[in-house]
Amino acid sequence: MVTTQEEKLEVLQTKLQDFIQNELLPYEQEHGLNAEEDIPMEAIKWARKRSRELGFYGINLPEKYGGQEVSLKGLCMFKEELARSGAVLWGQVIGEIGGPLRIGQMLESFTPEQIEKYVMPVVTGEVSCCFALTEPNAGSDAFAIETTAVKDGNDYILSGKKHFISAAPYADFAIVIAKESRKGEKERITAFLVDKKTPRHPGLN
């Protein structure tokens, strides 16, 4: 029997409702989770692991990355269910906060090495990322940002300030948006993968 996209979404929606009511909310109540307080990493990891087991985590990704290639309409349906539930861990279920939803639209831009080092650990829920675009003087308009990236040998020097970055406290690396300047070329907007911790630096400031 051929299953249509609409039928698939309805099945997944029912499955998500069941997970929220019978597992997610009871877990949050049992562990006393509060949206106004810091969420323990243990709870975040549980939500990611269980959501991945059920097929929700990274549900928008291509099948080769373990996803189900769910449409934007489907994502909106699932986000609506999660928001309606009032679950503290809502953003961990489909990877909204620090998860696959932050990298899904960039998959074709990563190199094979970057996919192995950065993408797959995010897909499996082992690590988190954050998307650093917003600045004190710039919001969603990437062309208004002031952070710069200047090539220095094989490296880049990034200079600027980012704030209001969702998932930053839990992130292992950041996708930092900056204006790249190259000699003799027009300035362009570029995304850089910046590790939160490295052997030489204990963390981002």
Side-chain angles (χ1 to χ4, degrees):
M1 182 178 72
V2 178
T3 302
T4 66
Q5 181 70 10
E6 291 294 327
E7 290 171 331
K8 179 182 177 180
L9 290 179
E10 288 179 6
V11 170
L12 288 171
Q13 185 178 26
T14 299
K15 186 177 179 181
L16 177 60
Q17 291 169 339
D18 180 70
F19 168 62
I20 292 171
Q21 296 302 321
N22 298 316
E23 294 190 57
L24 186 62
L25 293 178
Y27 177 93
E28 294 182 355
Q29 184 175 13
E30 179 184 348
H31 291 81
L33 300 186
N34 187 325
E36 299 301 319
E37 300 175 356
D38 289 338
I39 304 173
M41 277 305 301
E42 180 183 359
I44 291 174
K45 290 181 177 180
W46 172 84
R48 290 177 180 169
K49 182 176 183 293
R50 185 59 182 138
S51 296
R52 182 167 171 76
E53 290 173 348
L54 295 171
F56 296 125
Y57 200 70
I59 199 169
N60 63 306
L61 298 176
E63 291 183 2
K64 67 177 181 179
Y65 292 105
Q68 300 190 53
E69 301 185 27
V70 163
S71 64
L72 181 58
K73 176 182 178 180
L75 286 177
C76 289
M77 287 172 58
F78 303 149
K79 287 183 182 182
E80 184 177 28
E81 287 293 343
L82 289 162
R84 184 187 297 119
S85 74
V88 176
L89 293 164
W90 71 272
Q92 306 301 331
V93 177
I94 58 177
E96 172 75 18
I97 298 180
L101 259 68
R102 294 296 178 187
I103 60 173
Q105 301 301 316
M106 302 176 65
L107 285 175
E108 301 303 320
S109 301
F110 292 105
T111 66
E113 293 77 15
Q114 289 171 337
I115 288 178
E116 180 180 356
K117 181 179 179 180
Y118 294 99
V119 175
M120 292 312 299
V122 170
V123 169
T124 57
E126 299 171 52
V127 304
S128 300
C129 67
C130 61
F131 189 76
L133 169 63
T134 306
E135 300 180 359
N137 297 317
S140 58
D141 181 6
F143 289 98
I145 64 173
E146 298 172 356
T147 298
T148 59
V150 179
K151 193 169 179 60
D152 181 24
N154 293 324
D155 301 316
Y156 278 90
I157 298 176
L158 272 63
S159 302
K161 183 177 181 179
K162 302 291 184 179
H163 69 172
F164 300 147
I165 309 303
S166 300
Y170 310 104
D172 296 283
F173 70 92
I175 300 173
V176 180
I177 307 302
K179 285 184 177 179
E180 181 185 356
S181 298
R182 289 190 177 187
K183 195 172 182 179
E185 295 183 15
K186 184 178 180 181
E187 198 172 57
R188 63 182 182 179
I189 304 299
T190 305
F192 293 87
L193 298 173
V194 180
D195 289 304
K196 190 171 185 179
K197 294 184 179 181
T198 69
R200 290 188 298 173
H201 300 286
L204 300 173
N205 292 321

